[in-house]
Amino acid sequence: MHEIGDKGVFVKEIEQELLEKRVDIGVHSMKDMPPKPAEGLMFTKAWEREDPRDVLILREEQSFSDLPGGAVIGTGSRRREVQLKKLRPDIKVVNIRGNIDTRIRKMNEEGLDGIVLAAAGLHRLGMQDRIACYLEAGEMISAPAQGVLALEIRKGEKELLQMLDALGDDETANAVEAERGFLQEIDGDCHVPVGAVCERNKDGVFSLKAMFGDEEGRRQAYAFVSGSEPRELAKRAAVIIRRQMAGMVSLVGAGPGDPGLITVKGLHAIQEADCIVYDRLASPDLLAEAKLGCEKIYVGKESHHHTLPQEEINRLLVRKSMQYEKTVRLKGGDAYVFGRGGEECLFLRECGVPFEVIPGITSAVAGPAYAGIPITHRGKSLGFHVVTAHDKNDALADIDFHALANGTETCVFLMGLSKTGEIAERLMDEGMSPQTDAAVISCATTPSQKTCISDLMHISEDARRAGLVSPALIVVGEVVSLRDELNFFEQRPLFGKKYLIPKIGEQPTMLRGLLLAQGAGVDEIQVGQIMQMQTDFADGVLDADWLVFTSKNGVESFFEAFLKRGGDLRSLAGVKIAAIGAKTAQFLQQCGLRADLTPDEFHSSALADCLRAQLTGGEKVVYLRAKNADDHLRRNLEDVCRFTEIAVYENQPIKPDLASFCPIENYDGVLFTCASSAGRLLETLGDAWEKAKAVYSIGPRTTAYLKKHGVKEVCQAECATYEGLVDAVVTSETL
Ligand code: SAH
């Protein structure tokens, strides 16, 4: 059993008996108990403790310092292990488990030079004569509350509590408070080494020695503090430890919604983070930037529904800082604009955790801009107020409406949608003209942005009718009138439209980026994944006259396999290369190979025609393809060359998870970039397929597939590229 946190089997079983009232008092070793007792249970005041020290039992009669270098000591505890190594870097520590007898037996049987145990256990069993030496707190800090019995009872058992408490020992109780207080403060899990031991000297001053180490055993920190308040000591020791051990917490402003609106510095922080703690307003695209293995924790706040209370978020950040080198706290807009970033930073500081703030673009400024409203404008507004409409108790905040109503500055209200009417009324009461321009902007800077323009008198009613939803901003002031001319965002060709793209792999597609740039909303549904094939094809390609690539995946998988098997690009010097399109050619170039042939039109018939024109007969043409690719190229080329195919990757089907997508008829269209994804989506949708509003295809082969499977109307790109496909959508939507 580990020393802390990890409740041993016995602990759980005893607690269960207690809760089911089969027993009234549970007796444990306090050092085995997690930082907090189980729900409904409590510990009584501690009785006088046994010796808190750790001791060494040695196989041969000698002292610890006489042990030769390379001596082997057994322990099951990380805490003992790291401290032993600090005392004697020259000895070896091995893992040993079991009760005292088992360990002593193992020591003898396995020829260990010694083992470390708790003095208390040996004393209680009358085995003190086995002890070779006691390790003092200056050498080895014991587990918190080592040597203390834990008496656990049900909460509310007053009489029992009184009886047991009467036997309690003040000295021990104080020590337990300091030692276990430290354990709670430092909040480590059972995998990390933690130690704490508190003593009182002759003058009545407590001194607490504490240690904490990382999971890998690479770093440890120690704290020695003294004072008169055990709990206070625990806190101070934890701060001293965190100052040495805690990683950086970066509060990063995620921007208002458009994932492009993040700072370069913020993006770097996300990419390097070991852990990201984020809320509702942070865009999923930004999370996709995180590195592999980054822990992502959602602590989102929806209005009236706080997923995690602020205090818990604060503590979570501190805990994660002890676990990771880099933690990012990602917050919508700017962390300090009504984001409670200040509170989080104050708490981190208090706990001794280093932090930094990477400001973000606040929705208060970016939202109006994306709605065509400059927040200041010469002659119309000399400045702006950004105010929150809600106070702590969800009532209208105590805003100086008189000042707002009588100034010439633009007023921006956050968190105010449900209070739009009240706000307008208060402004008018204080003398603002009912004809003053006003706007409500919902989901600003995202494809779902909606703006309602009105005047102060009618804004509340109009916004309600327009069905605007949270998050939303209210903007009041003359600058609103500039929207007619400055509304760039909502006027992009595909604004307000939404498309579905079946995709292969997890990464967002380039096609999606192109559609977003035109203002569209995009959902992607994964229908496949790329698996590289373990083929050994080195010989097959070295004597080829042509290598043919029809996708970026083909290039990528080829190079992976080629280089992994010790291939050398120079051996391809005499080989010509054909690429189906510009993107494939571009990717080849990045890998250090220039394509000799790229057809003008990017589809396999064009590629076959082009290649045919170059072949004189008998050349060896090697097609590096997907395992399940069709035989179109083969059929078109095998009569004029020695056509060889090597499957370098497989496009494996994934059953699309339709549940997370709204019904197909809610999309303005579905876009297909290959026949295989078309097949998989058609199959999943079944008859619902007929409700699709529009179907777009990248080229003739995908179109042919769709038609063959009963899709009547397909709009095909003129040029078989992603850009061509988006052009087809724009053309058909703006006709
Ligand atoms: N720190 C954030 C604000 C957090 S308070 C920032 O700097 O933007 C939350 C409020 O911000 C919401 O109630 C809403 O008024 C506003 N808000 C945030 N993102 C928004 C968006 N994309 N569109 C409209 N309002 C938004």
Side-chain angles (χ1 to χ4, degrees):
M1 185 156 54
H2 281 283
E3 292 195 320
I4 58 152
D6 194 14
K7 277 196 197 183
V9 190
F10 295 134
V11 171
K12 263 195 222 138
E13 280 174 353
I14 292 172
E15 287 183 337
Q16 199 56 36
E17 297 283 299
L18 265 171
L19 287 167
E20 288 169 10
K21 300 197 174 170
R22 278 198 287 273
V23 299
D24 296 313
I25 308 170
V27 183
H28 320 268
S29 177
M30 188 62 109
K31 81 174 169 62
D32 295 336
M33 301 309 285
K36 297 229 167 87
E39 189 67 34
L41 301 180
M42 62 176 294
F43 298 120
T44 67
K45 184 173 171 182
W47 293 354
E48 191 178 344
R49 98 189 290 178
E50 243 293 350
D51 194 323
R53 288 173 295 180
D54 283 321
V55 297
L56 266 170
I57 292 186
L58 298 178
R59 193 157 47 92
E60 315 246 322
E61 215 163 295
Q62 59 185 336
S63 71
F64 183 45
S65 52
D66 286 342
L67 278 177
V72 182
I73 303 287
T75 171
S77 139
R78 306 290 312 278
R79 172 185 63 76
R80 287 174 180 148
E81 179 185 343
V82 297
Q83 294 190 90
L84 267 178
K85 283 195 175 146
K86 191 165 168 254
L87 280 177
R88 287 285 305 266
D90 59 327
I91 62 173
K92 214 178 142 202
V93 181
V94 295
N95 196 12
I96 186 170
R97 310 239 139 208
N99 63 26
I100 293 180
D101 289 335
T102 317
R103 291 191 199 198
I104 292 178
R105 183 171 46 77
K106 278 191 185 167
M107 170 180 79
N108 291 323
E109 283 173 9
E110 292 169 20
L112 308 183
D113 294 284
I115 51 177
V116 188
L117 293 168
L122 291 161
H123 289 183
R124 286 193 186 114
L125 294 171
M127 294 170 72
Q128 40 277 62
D129 54 337
R130 296 300 310 251
I131 296 171
C133 75
Y134 287 82
L135 296 163
E136 298 301 330
E139 298 170 302
M140 166 118 25
I141 299 172
S142 309
Q146 184 161 311
V148 178
L149 281 187
L151 300 180
E152 197 176 26
I153 61 171
R154 285 181 297 277
K155 274 188 186 160
E157 302 270 350
K158 279 197 191 132
E159 222 172 302
L160 184 60
L161 180 63
Q162 257 176 5
M163 273 160 49
L164 294 171
D165 275 1
L167 298 169
D169 172 56
D170 284 339
E171 201 73 5
T172 306
N174 280 327
V176 168
E177 190 171 355
E179 294 167 20
R180 293 201 21 104
F182 172 73
L183 183 64
Q184 282 159 17
E185 282 290 331
I186 210 76
D187 215 1
D189 63 26
C190 53
H191 305 294
V192 294
V194 182
V197 61
C198 180
E199 286 160 341
R200 200 203 306 238
N201 70 13
K202 292 184 290 297
D203 310 323
V205 179
F206 293 107
S207 81
L208 175 68
K209 296 186 171 65
M211 67 83 55
F212 182 90
D214 66 359
E215 202 175 329
E216 293 80 31
R218 278 197 301 248
R219 290 195 310 140
Q220 296 86 43
Y222 294 81
F224 306 115
V225 287
S226 52
S228 56
E229 277 292 322
R231 188 75 215 190
E232 181 60 30
L233 288 188
K235 265 199 168 146
R236 266 171 40 213
V239 170
I240 291 171
I241 299 266
R242 285 194 210 96
R243 286 208 181 111
Q244 301 167 69
M245 296 286 289
M248 173 67 88
V249 176
S250 309
L251 269 77
V252 177
D258 177 344
L261 294 181
I262 185 159
T263 61
V264 173
K265 196 165 177 177
L267 184 60
H268 283 164
I270 291 173
Q271 288 163 340
E272 286 172 7
D274 305 304
C275 174
I276 300 180
V277 179
Y278 65 101
D279 17 66
R280 185 174 64 108
L281 294 177
S283 159
D285 285 45
L286 290 175
L287 294 173
E289 291 287 334
K291 67 183 180 191
L292 218 68
C294 170
E295 184 185 7
K296 296 172 196 150
I297 305 171
Y298 177 68
V299 293
K301 294 177 187 168
E302 317 222 350
S303 65
H304 306 292
H305 175 74
H306 288 229
T307 312
L308 253 199
Q310 187 62 46
E311 300 71 44
E312 277 178 43
I313 297 179
N314 294 350
R315 278 199 295 274
L316 177 71
L317 291 176
V318 172
R319 192 159 65 240
K320 291 297 157 188
S321 80
M322 292 299 277
Q323 197 179 336
Y324 297 115
E325 222 169 289
K326 288 176 183 171
T327 299
V328 158
R329 170 73 174 113
L330 192 61
K331 288 169 153 299
D334 178 84
Y336 278 170
V337 179
F338 307 124
R340 306 190 73 172
E343 289 166 58
E344 290 175 14
C345 291
L346 283 172
F347 188 79
L348 289 169
R349 193 194 113 89
E350 202 186 302
C351 292
V353 176
F355 66 90
E356 64 174 359
V357 179
I358 303 180
I361 298 180
T362 176
S363 64
V365 175
Y370 268 46
I373 303 167
I375 198 160
T376 72
H377 191 79
R378 211 176 251 249
K380 289 194 191 296
S381 157
L382 288 174
F384 55 87
H385 301 276
V386 174
V387 273
T388 171
H390 268 90
D391 69 7
K392 271 188 195 162
N393 309 317
D394 264 0
L396 185 62
D398 185 19
I399 302 164
D400 185 352
F401 281 105
H402 182 77
L404 299 188
N406 293 282
T408 54
E409 298 88 8
T410 308
C411 301
V412 183
F413 298 89
L414 273 69
M415 296 180 271
L417 186 62
S418 64
K419 301 221 162 5
T420 313
E422 264 178 90
I423 291 169
E425 231 154 73
R426 294 288 299 275
L427 287 171
M428 290 186 289
D429 286 351
E430 294 291 350
M432 197 178 244
S433 158
Q435 276 80 49
T436 310
D437 295 307
V440 172
I441 313 158
S442 158
C443 301
T445 80
T446 74
S448 321
Q449 174 172 316
K450 265 193 178 170
T451 309
C452 169
I453 303 290
S454 184
D455 60 21
L456 207 48
M457 184 75 188
H458 303 98
I459 186 67
S460 170
E461 181 59 20
D462 289 351
R464 198 183 53 73
R465 262 202 226 118
L468 297 198
V469 295
S470 195
L473 303 154
I474 305 164
V475 187
V476 181
E478 237 188 295
V479 287
V480 172
S481 64
L482 290 160
R483 169 177 162 90
D484 285 345
E485 283 152 290
L486 302 182
N487 177 14
F488 71 99
F489 185 72
E490 293 171 29
Q491 281 175 355
R492 290 168 309 157
L494 299 181
F495 183 78
K497 306 277 179 197
K498 194 166 183 187
Y499 300 94
L500 183 66
I501 310 178
K503 67 167 176 180
I504 312 290
E506 278 169 24
Q507 290 299 315
T509 61
M510 255 151 58
L511 181 57
R512 172 174 180 270
L514 293 173
L515 283 169
L516 289 177
Q518 297 295 331
V522 178
D523 279 341
E524 290 186 301
I525 181 164
Q526 192 179 353
V527 296
Q529 64 183 350
I530 298 298
M531 302 297 289
Q532 290 179 359
M533 308 271 297
Q534 302 298 319
T535 21
D536 196 355
F537 49 73
D539 297 342
V541 297
L542 293 183
D543 64 344
D545 297 297
W546 282 93
L547 293 185
V548 182
F549 294 96
T550 56
S551 72
K552 185 179 164 215
N553 288 322
V555 179
E556 212 161 27
S557 310
F558 168 73
F559 272 94
E560 274 261 346
F562 183 70
L563 297 177
K564 211 190 272 169
R565 287 177 172 73
D568 183 335
L569 278 188
R570 286 169 298 185
S571 59
L572 298 176
V575 185
K576 287 191 168 166
I577 291 175
I580 194 164
K583 290 266 149 52
T584 308
Q586 203 178 10
F587 198 67
L588 274 164
Q589 183 110 48
Q590 283 168 19
C591 300
L593 290 179
R594 198 170 41 74
D596 300 278
L597 178 157
T598 311
D600 290 337
E601 285 186 48
F602 306 146
H603 50 81
S604 49
S605 305
L607 177 64
D609 291 347
C610 238
L611 206 50
R612 255 186 116 81
Q614 299 251 348
L615 296 172
T616 52
E619 287 103 329
K620 176 169 179 184
V621 174
V622 179
Y623 174 24
L624 288 320
R625 66 169 175 85
K627 185 178 169 216
N628 35 356
D630 62 27
D631 60 354
H632 188 255
L633 269 185
R634 163 180 285 282
R635 278 191 284 108
N636 279 276
L637 289 170
E638 63 188 350
D639 59 325
V640 288
C641 62
R642 283 185 289 136
F643 193 84
T644 314
E645 289 164 287
I646 299 175
V648 285
Y649 71 98
E650 182 178 3
N651 173 353
Q652 284 182 345
I654 284 189
K655 189 128 191 70
D657 171 24
L658 272 187
S660 41
F661 297 89
C662 47
I664 189 89
E665 58 268 32
N666 287 6
Y667 293 96
D668 294 280
V670 187
L671 281 68
F672 290 107
T673 56
C674 67
S676 66
S677 13
R680 290 169 197 172
L681 195 64
L682 285 184
E683 191 181 316
T684 314
L685 280 171
D687 290 344
W689 179 245
E690 288 176 11
K691 297 194 200 125
K693 278 194 194 149
V695 173
Y696 298 92
S697 144
I698 197 163
R701 301 193 50 71
T702 306
T703 308
Y705 183 92
L706 288 164
K707 293 232 157 138
K708 191 171 140 203
H709 289 83
V711 182
K712 287 183 202 78
E713 276 192 44
V714 179
C715 175
Q716 184 184 308
E718 273 185 30
C719 173
T721 59
Y722 290 161
E723 288 82 354
L725 188 53
V726 173
D727 279 348
V729 179
V730 171
T731 310
S732 91
E733 293 287 5
T734 48
L735 268 185

